[in-house]
Amino acid sequence: MRGLLVPLSLVVATALVLFGGWSTPYDPNATAGAPWQAPNPEYLLGTDALGRDVWSRVLAGGGRLLTVSVVAAVCASVIGIAGGLVAGWSGGFVARLLTACADLFLALPSLLLALVAAIALPWQSAVVVATVCGGAPLTLRVVRDAVRSVRSSGYVEAALLRGEHTSSVLLREVFPAMRGLVCADLGLRLVVAIQVCAALGVLGLGVSPPEPDWALMLRENMSGVASNPWAVAAPAIALGVTTLLFALAARPPSREHDDRRPAGTGREETDHA
Amino acid sequence: MPGPATAPAVALPRSRKAAAGVSLLFSLVRATLLLGLVSVAVFTVTELLPGDAADLRASPGADEEQVRHLRQELGLDVEPWRRYLDWVGALISGDPGTSLVNGRPVVDALAQRLPATLTVVAGAMALVVPASSALAWWAGTTRRGRRMPTAVLTGGAAVPMAVVAAALAALFSGHLGLVPPVSLIPPGAAPWHHPELLFLPVMSMALPTAFFGGSLLSGSVADTVRMPHVVDARRRGVPSWRIALVDVLPFLLTPFVRVVAVSAGGLIAAATVVEALFGYPGMGSLLVSAISTRDLPVVQATAVLAAAIVLLGLLLADLSAALTEPEHGRTT
């Protein structure tokens, strides 16, 4: 039962984020009443500086952010997996070169890369660039190690002996063995992508003002935090809970693979120690 | 004291020192290479922008001929690679040019903003170091139900810093009214003279980073407390404070220094978010306002300086790792 809690709430939250904008009580971009009203029955979470309904804006404000983050995370994951498959399979010089290049990018914080990219590129591309540069190297490492350990296993050697082509062995035998690992890793990349998205939005380099966006709402409503704290707290909670759910959903399989043994035996060992 | 009896046959101290020297040289090369790459990236990105300094400076209504003259005067008509080299040369000699917006030297702006950013980063690090150590110790040494500490650390590190900042502002400033919601430091005053203005920026930077550092470090703690010599010492009934101090901590020094360096580097970048949210006059808000006004000399200098500080931190971590490792090879 508890194992289902996180995935289930993740699905509900994703549906709310993506489709919440369709059923807002007010137009999220139009003035609905007096500015900076505290929460009341008419406006569930009060109004913001321009008198727009905060609840409607929260409902509509996550779709774009999540879409861009998912695209960025998938890009980072795909590039990292490709690099990891090549590095783990070929070994030797190629592996060392790929790992060295990957390590090079890891030294810089993703946000700094995003800021540099945001100078000239539109914010969506900046998020993708930063997530790929900061995330693909980590995926590459994880996948490389997994490929190395799978490479010498019986079914891979059997496929090779059957005379199958390397690329088909990689795609049909090696890759499916790492499904759980790759899913968990995708979740981690998504969390970083959301963080970068949120940071750019708060800095005013993301979605342009009239549109509803959680990060932009944080920036816009900070000046009125004393009159209507919910104008800041509501988008903060929405953004925080969404990120938290993705991070928690990404966790269990990655831990299992970190330990390289099922969770149960790990616990037993520590008990004996 | 039992040494790490299970450690593999250790190489001679001399070859160890040589290995440390090689790894140090490698990290020096890596930092230099990365800084070069960052400067190329920053320069390329600013080149990609439509319009250049001549377009910006030309008086409105200037014709093609005048703009071309100005471009020649500013040295913008030569090849990009030569301008890049000129720019890097000027940066190295400590002259990043003048701002396009207010015509003041960029160095002045940086000298004014850098101490403010370093103040909040130092304040946050003062909280992050003990907090992340405690969290890592808690997560690494919990024996039953290890899922809970890992979940707390992963979750805490995942929450975007902007969310923490907004939540803290809504709570302490909006709900409780304890601190002002904006941290505008009066001009001429040092930020540390106004601790009440530093509270929100420092806390919102420290909280997520503490969880991040803790989750990075907890793996090392868990590995170390499972090492055979630690298990052995525990079986012999050595007091746990003594095990922690003598058998565990020396092995954690190197990962700890690295985690501190990575956290500090992340904080330099993350300071932009907090500075922008609270209106704190630091390097990050300088970078962001320069990006939005297309003030290229300021953007270039600030981005390269931030990258240089981050890389310097990593280099120092590598240096101290190289210094501490042979040390504990000799003592144990």
Side-chain angles (χ1 to χ4, degrees), chain B residues 193-251:
Chain B
H193 291 153
H194 299 272
E196 78 281 1
L197 297 181
L198 288 178
F199 174 80
L200 281 179
V202 165
M203 282 305 285
S204 30
M205 282 164 77
L207 273 178
T209 313
F211 284 103
F212 171 72
S215 65
L216 283 185
L217 204 56
S218 68
S220 306
V221 173
D223 287 348
T224 310
V225 295
R226 280 201 219 135
M227 279 166 88
H229 76 274
V230 178
V231 176
D232 182 60
R234 198 180 293 135
R235 283 206 185 115
R236 282 187 291 110
V238 179
S240 49
W241 63 267
R242 197 169 171 155
I243 296 181
L245 221 57
V246 177
D247 295 320
V248 178
L249 283 187
F251 287 84

Coordinates of all heavy atoms in Angstrom, one line a residue, chain B residues 193-251:
Chain B
H193 N 26.5 44.7 8.9 CA 25.9 45.6 9.9 C 24.4 45.4 10.0 O 23.8 46.0 10.9 CB 26.3 47.0 9.6 CG 27.8 47.3 9.7 ND1 28.4 48.3 9.0 CD2 28.7 46.7 10.4 CE1 29.7 48.3 9.3 NE2 29.9 47.3 10.2
H194 N 23.8 44.7 9.1 CA 22.4 44.5 9.1 C 22.0 43.0 9.2 O 21.5 42.5 8.2 CB 21.8 45.2 7.9 CG 22.0 46.6 7.8 ND1 21.2 47.6 8.4 CD2 23.0 47.3 7.2 CE1 21.7 48.8 8.2 NE2 22.8 48.6 7.5
P195 N 22.3 42.4 10.3 CA 22.0 40.9 10.3 C 20.6 40.6 10.1 O 20.3 39.5 9.5 CB 22.4 40.5 11.8 CG 22.6 41.8 12.5 CD 22.8 42.9 11.5
E196 N 19.6 41.5 10.4 CA 18.2 41.1 10.2 C 17.9 41.0 8.7 O 17.0 40.3 8.3 CB 17.3 42.1 10.9 CG 17.1 43.5 10.3 CD 18.3 44.4 10.5 OE1 19.3 44.0 11.2 OE2 18.2 45.6 10.0
L197 N 18.7 41.8 7.9 CA 18.4 41.7 6.4 C 19.1 40.5 5.9 O 18.8 40.0 4.8 CB 19.0 43.0 5.8 CG 18.4 44.3 6.1 CD1 19.0 45.4 5.4 CD2 16.9 44.2 5.9
L198 N 20.1 39.9 6.6 CA 20.8 38.7 6.1 C 20.1 37.5 6.4 O 20.3 36.4 5.8 CB 22.2 38.7 6.7 CG 23.2 39.7 6.1 CD1 24.5 39.5 6.9 CD2 23.4 39.5 4.7
F199 N 19.1 37.5 7.4 CA 18.5 36.3 7.9 C 17.8 35.5 6.7 O 18.2 34.3 6.5 CB 17.5 36.6 9.0 CG 16.7 35.4 9.4 CD1 17.3 34.5 10.3 CD2 15.4 35.2 8.9 CE1 16.5 33.4 10.7 CE2 14.7 34.1 9.4 CZ 15.3 33.2 10.2
L200 N 16.9 36.1 6.0 CA 16.2 35.4 4.9 C 17.1 34.9 3.8 O 17.1 33.7 3.5 CB 15.1 36.3 4.4 CG 13.8 36.4 5.2 CD1 12.8 37.3 4.5 CD2 13.2 35.0 5.4
P201 N 18.0 35.7 3.3 CA 18.9 35.2 2.2 C 19.8 34.0 2.7 O 19.8 32.9 2.1 CB 19.8 36.3 1.8 CG 19.1 37.5 2.3 CD 18.2 37.2 3.4
V202 N 20.4 34.2 3.9 CA 21.3 33.1 4.4 C 20.5 31.8 4.7 O 20.9 30.7 4.3 CB 22.0 33.6 5.7 CG1 22.7 32.5 6.4 CG2 23.1 34.6 5.3
M203 N 19.4 31.9 5.4 CA 18.6 30.7 5.7 C 18.1 30.0 4.5 O 18.2 28.8 4.4 CB 17.4 31.1 6.6 CG 17.7 31.4 8.0 SD 18.6 30.0 8.8 CE 17.2 28.9 9.0
S204 N 17.6 30.8 3.5 CA 17.1 30.1 2.3 C 18.2 29.5 1.4 O 17.9 28.5 0.7 CB 16.2 31.0 1.5 OG 16.6 32.3 1.5
M205 N 19.4 30.0 1.5 CA 20.5 29.3 0.8 C 21.0 28.1 1.6 O 21.3 27.1 1.0 CB 21.7 30.3 0.6 CG 21.4 31.3 -0.5 SD 22.5 32.6 -0.5 CE 24.0 31.9 -1.1
A206 N 21.0 28.2 2.9 CA 21.6 27.2 3.8 C 20.8 25.9 3.8 O 21.3 24.8 3.7 CB 21.9 27.7 5.2
L207 N 19.4 26.1 3.9 CA 18.6 24.9 4.1 C 18.7 23.8 3.0 O 19.1 22.7 3.3 CB 17.1 25.3 4.3 CG 16.7 25.7 5.7 CD1 15.3 26.1 5.8 CD2 16.9 24.5 6.6
P208 N 18.4 24.2 1.7 CA 18.5 23.1 0.7 C 19.9 22.6 0.5 O 20.1 21.4 0.3 CB 18.0 23.8 -0.6 CG 17.7 25.2 -0.3 CD 18.0 25.4 1.1
T209 N 20.9 23.5 0.7 CA 22.3 23.1 0.5 C 22.8 22.1 1.6 O 23.5 21.2 1.3 CB 23.2 24.3 0.5 OG1 22.7 25.3 -0.4 CG2 24.6 24.0 0.0
A210 N 22.2 22.3 2.8 CA 22.6 21.4 3.9 C 22.1 20.0 3.6 O 22.8 19.0 3.8 CB 22.0 21.9 5.2
F211 N 20.9 19.9 3.0 CA 20.4 18.5 2.7 C 21.2 18.0 1.5 O 21.5 16.8 1.5 CB 18.9 18.6 2.3 CG 18.0 18.8 3.5 CD1 17.4 20.0 3.8 CD2 17.7 17.7 4.3 CE1 16.6 20.1 4.9 CE2 16.9 17.8 5.4 CZ 16.4 19.0 5.7
F212 N 21.5 18.8 0.5 CA 22.3 18.4 -0.6 C 23.6 17.8 -0.2 O 24.0 16.7 -0.5 CB 22.4 19.5 -1.6 CG 23.4 19.3 -2.7 CD1 23.0 18.4 -3.7 CD2 24.6 19.9 -2.8 CE1 23.9 18.2 -4.8 CE2 25.5 19.7 -3.8 CZ 25.1 18.8 -4.8
G213 N 24.3 18.6 0.7 CA 25.6 18.2 1.2 C 25.5 16.9 2.0 O 26.3 16.0 1.9
G214 N 24.5 16.9 2.8 CA 24.2 15.7 3.7 C 24.0 14.5 2.8 O 24.6 13.4 3.1
S215 N 23.3 14.6 1.7 CA 23.0 13.4 0.9 C 24.3 13.0 0.2 O 24.5 11.8 0.0 CB 21.9 13.6 0.0 OG 22.2 14.6 -1.0
L216 N 25.1 13.9 -0.2 CA 26.4 13.6 -0.9 C 27.3 12.8 0.1 O 28.0 11.9 -0.2 CB 27.1 14.8 -1.4 CG 26.6 15.5 -2.6 CD1 27.5 16.6 -3.0 CD2 26.5 14.5 -3.8
L217 N 27.3 13.3 1.4 CA 28.2 12.8 2.3 C 27.8 11.5 3.0 O 28.6 10.7 3.5 CB 28.5 13.9 3.4 CG 29.8 13.9 4.2 CD1 31.0 13.9 3.2 CD2 29.8 15.1 5.1
S218 N 26.4 11.3 3.0 CA 25.9 10.2 3.8 C 26.4 8.8 3.3 O 26.7 7.9 4.0 CB 24.4 10.2 3.8 OG 23.9 9.9 2.6
G219 N 26.6 8.7 1.9 CA 27.2 7.5 1.4 C 28.5 7.2 1.9 O 28.8 6.0 2.3
S220 N 29.4 8.2 2.0 CA 30.7 8.0 2.5 C 30.7 7.6 4.0 O 31.4 6.7 4.4 CB 31.6 9.3 2.4 OG 31.6 9.7 1.1
V221 N 29.8 8.2 4.8 CA 29.7 7.8 6.2 C 29.2 6.4 6.3 O 29.8 5.6 7.0 CB 28.6 8.8 6.9 CG1 28.4 8.3 8.3 CG2 29.1 10.2 6.9
A222 N 28.2 6.0 5.5 CA 27.7 4.6 5.6 C 28.8 3.6 5.2 O 28.9 2.6 5.8 CB 26.5 4.5 4.6
D223 N 29.6 3.9 4.2 CA 30.7 3.0 3.8 C 31.7 2.9 4.9 O 32.2 1.8 5.1 CB 31.3 3.6 2.5 CG 30.5 3.3 1.3 OD1 29.5 2.6 1.4 OD2 30.7 3.9 0.2
T224 N 32.1 4.1 5.5 CA 33.1 4.1 6.5 C 32.7 3.3 7.7 O 33.5 2.5 8.3 CB 33.5 5.5 6.8 OG1 33.7 6.2 5.6 CG2 34.8 5.5 7.7
V225 N 31.5 3.5 8.2 CA 31.1 2.8 9.4 C 31.0 1.3 9.2 O 30.9 0.5 10.1 CB 29.8 3.4 10.1 CG1 30.0 4.8 10.5 CG2 28.6 3.2 9.1
R226 N 30.9 0.9 7.9 CA 30.9 -0.6 7.7 C 32.2 -1.1 7.4 O 32.4 -2.3 7.1 CB 30.0 -0.8 6.5 CG 28.5 -0.8 6.8 CD 27.7 -1.6 5.8 NE 26.5 -0.9 5.6 CZ 25.9 -0.6 4.4 NH1 26.6 -1.0 3.3 NH2 24.8 0.0 4.3
M227 N 33.3 -0.3 7.4 CA 34.6 -0.8 7.2 C 35.0 -1.8 8.3 O 34.7 -1.6 9.5 CB 35.6 0.3 7.1 CG 35.6 1.0 5.7 SD 36.5 2.5 5.8 CE 38.1 2.0 5.4
P228 N 35.8 -2.8 7.9 CA 36.1 -3.9 8.9 C 36.7 -3.4 10.2 O 36.4 -3.9 11.3 CB 37.0 -4.8 8.1 CG 36.7 -4.6 6.7 CD 36.3 -3.2 6.6
H229 N 37.6 -2.4 10.1 CA 38.3 -2.0 11.3 C 37.3 -1.3 12.3 O 37.5 -1.3 13.5 CB 39.5 -1.1 11.0 CG 39.2 0.3 10.6 ND1 39.0 0.6 9.3 CD2 39.2 1.4 11.3 CE1 38.7 1.9 9.3 NE2 38.9 2.4 10.5
V230 N 36.3 -0.6 11.7 CA 35.3 0.0 12.5 C 34.4 -1.0 13.2 O 34.1 -0.9 14.4 CB 34.4 1.0 11.7 CG1 33.4 1.7 12.6 CG2 35.3 2.1 11.1
V231 N 34.0 -2.0 12.4 CA 33.1 -3.1 13.0 C 33.9 -3.8 14.1 O 33.4 -4.1 15.2 CB 32.8 -4.0 11.8 CG1 32.0 -5.2 12.4 CG2 31.9 -3.3 10.8
D232 N 35.2 -4.0 13.8 CA 36.1 -4.7 14.8 C 36.2 -3.9 16.1 O 36.0 -4.4 17.2 CB 37.4 -4.9 14.1 CG 38.4 -5.6 15.0 OD1 38.0 -6.7 15.4 OD2 39.4 -5.0 15.4
A233 N 36.4 -2.6 16.0 CA 36.5 -1.7 17.1 C 35.2 -1.7 17.9 O 35.2 -1.8 19.2 CB 36.9 -0.3 16.7
R234 N 34.1 -1.8 17.2 CA 32.8 -1.8 17.9 C 32.6 -3.1 18.7 O 32.2 -3.1 19.8 CB 31.7 -1.6 16.9 CG 30.4 -1.1 17.6 CD 29.3 -0.9 16.6 NE 29.5 0.2 15.7 CZ 29.3 0.1 14.4 NH1 28.9 -1.0 13.8 NH2 29.6 1.1 13.6
R235 N 33.0 -4.2 18.1 CA 32.9 -5.5 18.7 C 33.8 -5.5 20.0 O 33.4 -6.2 21.0 CB 33.4 -6.6 17.8 CG 32.3 -6.9 16.8 CD 32.4 -8.3 16.3 NE 31.5 -8.5 15.2 CZ 31.8 -8.8 13.9 NH1 33.1 -8.9 13.6 NH2 30.9 -8.9 13.0
R236 N 34.9 -4.9 19.9 CA 35.8 -4.9 21.1 C 35.4 -3.9 22.2 O 36.0 -3.8 23.2 CB 37.2 -4.6 20.7 CG 37.9 -5.8 20.0 CD 39.4 -5.5 19.8 NE 39.6 -4.5 18.7 CZ 40.0 -3.3 18.9 NH1 40.3 -2.9 20.2 NH2 40.1 -2.4 18.0
G237 N 34.3 -3.2 22.0 CA 33.7 -2.4 23.0 C 34.4 -1.0 23.1 O 34.4 -0.5 24.2
V238 N 35.1 -0.6 22.1 CA 35.6 0.8 22.2 C 34.5 1.8 22.2 O 33.5 1.6 21.5 CB 36.5 1.0 20.9 CG1 37.1 2.4 20.9 CG2 37.6 0.0 20.8
P239 N 34.6 2.8 23.1 CA 33.5 3.8 23.2 C 33.2 4.4 21.9 O 34.1 4.7 21.1 CB 34.0 4.8 24.2 CG 35.3 4.4 24.6 CD 35.6 3.0 24.1
S240 N 31.9 4.7 21.6 CA 31.5 5.1 20.3 C 32.1 6.5 19.9 O 32.4 6.7 18.7 CB 30.0 5.1 20.1 OG 29.4 5.8 21.2
W241 N 32.3 7.4 20.9 CA 32.9 8.7 20.6 C 34.3 8.5 20.1 O 34.7 9.2 19.2 CB 32.8 9.6 21.7 CG 33.6 9.2 22.9 CD1 33.2 8.5 24.0 CD2 35.0 9.4 23.2 NE1 34.2 8.2 24.9 CE2 35.3 8.8 24.4 CE3 36.0 10.0 22.5 CZ2 36.6 8.8 25.0 CZ3 37.3 10.1 23.0 CH2 37.6 9.4 24.2
R242 N 34.9 7.5 20.6 CA 36.3 7.2 20.2 C 36.4 6.6 18.8 O 37.3 7.0 18.0 CB 37.0 6.3 21.3 CG 38.4 6.3 21.1 CD 39.1 5.6 22.2 NE 40.5 5.6 21.8 CZ 41.5 5.5 22.6 NH1 41.3 5.4 23.9 NH2 42.7 5.5 22.2
I243 N 35.5 5.7 18.6 CA 35.4 5.1 17.2 C 35.2 6.2 16.2 O 35.8 6.3 15.2 CB 34.3 4.1 17.1 CG1 34.5 2.9 18.1 CG2 34.1 3.6 15.7 CD1 33.5 1.9 18.0
A244 N 34.2 7.1 16.5 CA 33.9 8.2 15.6 C 35.1 9.1 15.3 O 35.4 9.4 14.2 CB 32.7 9.0 16.2
L245 N 35.8 9.4 16.4 CA 36.9 10.4 16.3 C 38.2 9.7 15.6 O 38.8 10.3 14.8 CB 37.3 10.8 17.7 CG 37.6 12.3 17.8 CD1 36.4 13.1 17.3 CD2 37.9 12.7 19.3
V246 N 38.5 8.5 16.0 CA 39.7 7.9 15.6 C 39.6 7.0 14.4 O 40.4 7.1 13.5 CB 40.3 7.1 16.8 CG1 41.6 6.4 16.3 CG2 40.6 8.0 18.0
D247 N 38.5 6.2 14.3 CA 38.4 5.3 13.2 C 37.6 5.7 12.0 O 37.8 5.3 10.9 CB 37.8 4.0 13.8 CG 38.7 3.3 14.8 OD1 39.9 3.3 14.6 OD2 38.1 2.8 15.8
V248 N 36.7 6.7 12.3 CA 35.8 7.1 11.2 C 36.2 8.4 10.6 O 36.3 8.5 9.4 CB 34.3 7.1 11.7 CG1 33.4 7.5 10.6 CG2 33.9 5.7 12.2
L249 N 36.3 9.4 11.4 CA 36.5 10.8 10.9 C 37.7 10.9 9.9 O 37.5 11.6 8.9 CB 36.6 11.8 12.0 CG 35.2 12.1 12.7 CD1 35.4 13.3 13.6 CD2 34.2 12.5 11.6
P250 N 38.9 10.3 10.2 CA 40.0 10.5 9.3 C 39.6 10.1 7.9 O 40.1 10.7 6.9 CB 41.1 9.7 9.9 CG 40.8 9.6 11.3 CD 39.3 9.6 11.4
F251 N 38.8 9.1 7.7 CA 38.4 8.6 6.4 C 37.4 9.5 5.7 O 37.2 9.4 4.5 CB 37.8 7.2 6.5 CG 38.9 6.1 6.8 CD1 39.2 5.9 8.1 CD2 39.5 5.4 5.8 CE1 40.2 4.9 8.4 CE2 40.4 4.5 6.1 CZ 40.8 4.2 7.4

